[in-house]
Amino acid sequence: QVQLVESGGGSVQAGGSLRLSCTASGYAVTTYCMYWFRQAPGKEREGVATINSNGATSYADSVKGRFTISKDNAKNTLYLQMDSLKPEDTAMYRCAARSSTYSGHCYGGFTYSVQGTQVTVSS
């Protein structure tokens, strides 16, 4: 059974850093498109970063230059390194997976993590 479990959230002051992890079981992250989403109270879910099966990455404008998405195939884990955090980064963060073609094209529905991890940034 496919399952994604995050860890690494917490509370930091503005300007600080956190690294989120998302460990997969039931499939290999290397063969899927992997995503980080976040949702703040009263706001819609926002796509934060994506890494496809070929390692190509993309970021929301709001985090570009501050966040880095990566994956460790040996550990079957997805990461989100978050630097220069701002109060507006405060949200529940969740990872997700989506099927990928051999060439890295992402398709199909999302498989989301079980619960998410809270990130709180204070000013």
Side-chain angles (χ1 to χ4, degrees), residues 37-41 87-93 117-121:
F37 291 91
R38 67 185 181 186
Q39 188 166 20
E88 51 263 43
D89 294 319
T90 295
M92 179 70 71
Y93 285 71
T117 186
Q118 178 67 38
V119 171
T120 302
V121 185

Side-chain angles (χ1 to χ4, degrees), residues 27 32 34 38 46 53 62 69 72 75 78 102 109 116 121:
Y27 68 97
Y32 280 73
M34 301 298 298
R38 67 185 181 186
E46 174 188 20
S53 59
S62 58
I69 188 171
D72 185 327
K75 296 182 178 180
L78 174 74
Y102 182 79
V121 185

Side-chain angles (χ1 to χ4, degrees), residues 5-10 17-23 36-38 48 67-70 77-82 85 89 91-95 116-120:
V5 179
E6 302 99 339
S7 61
S17 297
L18 284 172
R19 189 177 79 157
L20 306 184
S21 300
C22 171
T23 300
W36 285 101
F37 291 91
R38 67 185 181 186
V48 175
F67 290 11
T68 304
I69 188 171
S70 64
T77 298
L78 174 74
Y79 299 101
L80 185 68
Q81 177 66 41
M82 304 185 294
L85 282 161
D89 294 319
M92 179 70 71
Y93 285 71
R94 298 180 74 183
C95 58
T117 186
Q118 178 67 38
V119 171
T120 302

Side-chain angles (χ1 to χ4, degrees), residues 33-120:
C33 294
M34 301 298 298
Y35 299 78
W36 285 101
F37 291 91
R38 67 185 181 186
Q39 188 166 20
K43 294 188 177 181
E44 292 186 356
R45 185 173 59 209
E46 174 188 20
V48 175
T50 304
I51 184 167
N52 74 4
S53 59
N54 292 337
T57 59
S58 63
Y59 299 90
D61 288 342
S62 58
V63 307
K64 203 171 292 184
R66 300 187 297 119
F67 290 11
T68 304
I69 188 171
S70 64
K71 54 186 178 180
D72 185 327
N73 296 333
K75 296 182 178 180
N76 212 28
T77 298
L78 174 74
Y79 299 101
L80 185 68
Q81 177 66 41
M82 304 185 294
D83 299 317
S84 302
L85 282 161
K86 303 176 180 180
E88 51 263 43
D89 294 319
T90 295
M92 179 70 71
Y93 285 71
R94 298 180 74 183
C95 58
R98 199 176 173 206
S99 296
S100 175
T101 64
Y102 182 79
S103 61
H105 173 69
C106 309
Y107 68 95
F110 290 94
T111 296
Y112 289 96
S113 61
V114 175
Q115 59 181 19
T117 186
Q118 178 67 38
V119 171
T120 302

